[in-house]
Amino acid sequence: RITQCMANEHPMWFKNGEKCDQKVEFEDWESRFTPADWGTSDLFETLEDCCIAKLWYDIDGCLDNSPREMTFTFTIDISEFNDPSHCQDADITGNALEMAINVGLPSNAASFVTGIGCVTLGRNADTDSTECGGCLAGSGFTGDTDGTPVVEDATGAVSTVTVEVRINSDACQDSSCFNELYDQTVMDLREFVDTGTLTVEIGDWARNRVPPVEQLWEATVLVSSYQQVAVHNPYVTMASSSTGIVVTSTGSFEVDGVDWGKITSASDLEIVASYFEDGIQ
């Protein structure tokens, strides 16, 4: 039997020889995920976690040999589509939208719907299942329903869908390469949206799925609604970036032979501090 991480196909990192790789579907024997104990886990949320836990003796080599991942987030507006009424509804429609969006992505990329209207979708690390927040926070997976899809008239309704895209690359080894990959992917996605091709794919998938996703039968992606939200290049480290391994240490030391009485201003203090910083570097 195949184990799928998270109902909306959450990718995980795993040890593969002397490097770490990423995929979505795992056999039962390789799907052990224990977030509270890295030592007994085979699956990891990030490349860095995998390298630290499984190839601790050559972390730099693991990072160099493993594919890197770029992520970016965008939103699109879909008309004739209501916000989900319960979390299972969000999960089903989110999966259908992902399958349609993936058609417009390169083979080394995948989409993950993280928001539909006022509903946010995430992953429960303990259960590997979809968890809803926003206006459905705390309502349970099926809310106060029996789990039957809720199909209501969506005439005139417009819902904003938030999508995260992940792109893996063995070939890209610097920021400029990933920037070029990102630019090409976004250009193709915009065309995919604006030509109506995404709308066609959503309709086809919604009708051909078993059971069908009736909530999306009349859905139309609005032309020019594509909006970029965020982008993360694995070779560009920002304050909020999880890329790379950053170790921070704090300490103190004593200094003799300094005439502190001659330090009379903030600029004097900054000059002295810069000497210390240069020496430590």
Side-chain angles (χ1 to χ4, degrees), residues 67-116:
R68 290 302 179 101
E69 180 183 69
M70 162 174 271
T71 62
F72 66 89
T73 305
F74 68 90
T75 62
I76 50 176
D77 294 331
I78 302 180
S79 66
E80 319 308 314
F81 177 43
N82 291 319
D83 289 0
S85 58
H86 53 72
C87 192
Q88 180 174 267
D89 191 27
D91 190 37
I92 292 172
T93 55
N95 274 298
L97 291 170
E98 288 166 2
M99 296 299 294
I101 293 168
N102 287 344
V103 175
L105 294 173
S107 59
N108 60 333
S111 66
F112 304 92
V113 172
T114 60
I116 303 176

Side-chain angles (χ1 to χ4, degrees), residues 41-59:
S41 184
D42 291 323
L43 305 181
F44 303 90
E45 295 280 0
T46 68
L47 167 62
E48 289 78 12
D49 290 350
C50 180
C51 287
I52 292 170
K54 292 301 184 182
L55 292 157
W56 51 268
Y57 51 85
D58 186 17
I59 295 174

Side-chain angles (χ1 to χ4, degrees), residues 139-209:
S139 63
F141 194 63
T142 59
D144 57 0
T145 73
D146 60 1
T148 303
V150 178
V151 182
E152 298 177 337
D153 181 24
T155 302
V158 177
S159 185
T160 298
V161 176
T162 304
V163 183
E164 179 186 77
V165 174
R166 298 186 177 193
I167 310 175
N168 281 323
S169 176
D170 287 296
C172 283
Q173 297 295 320
D174 55 43
S175 61
S176 62
C177 179
F178 268 106
N179 284 338
E180 292 176 6
L181 181 61
Y182 163 76
D183 289 342
Q184 183 63 52
T185 302
V186 170
M187 183 176 69
D188 293 342
L189 263 178
R190 287 185 182 276
E191 182 179 3
F192 191 57
V193 170
D194 293 343
T195 58
T197 309
L198 177 54
T199 294
V200 173
E201 292 292 340
I202 290 173
D204 287 348
W205 178 253
R207 287 175 170 79
N208 293 331
R209 182 184 182 274

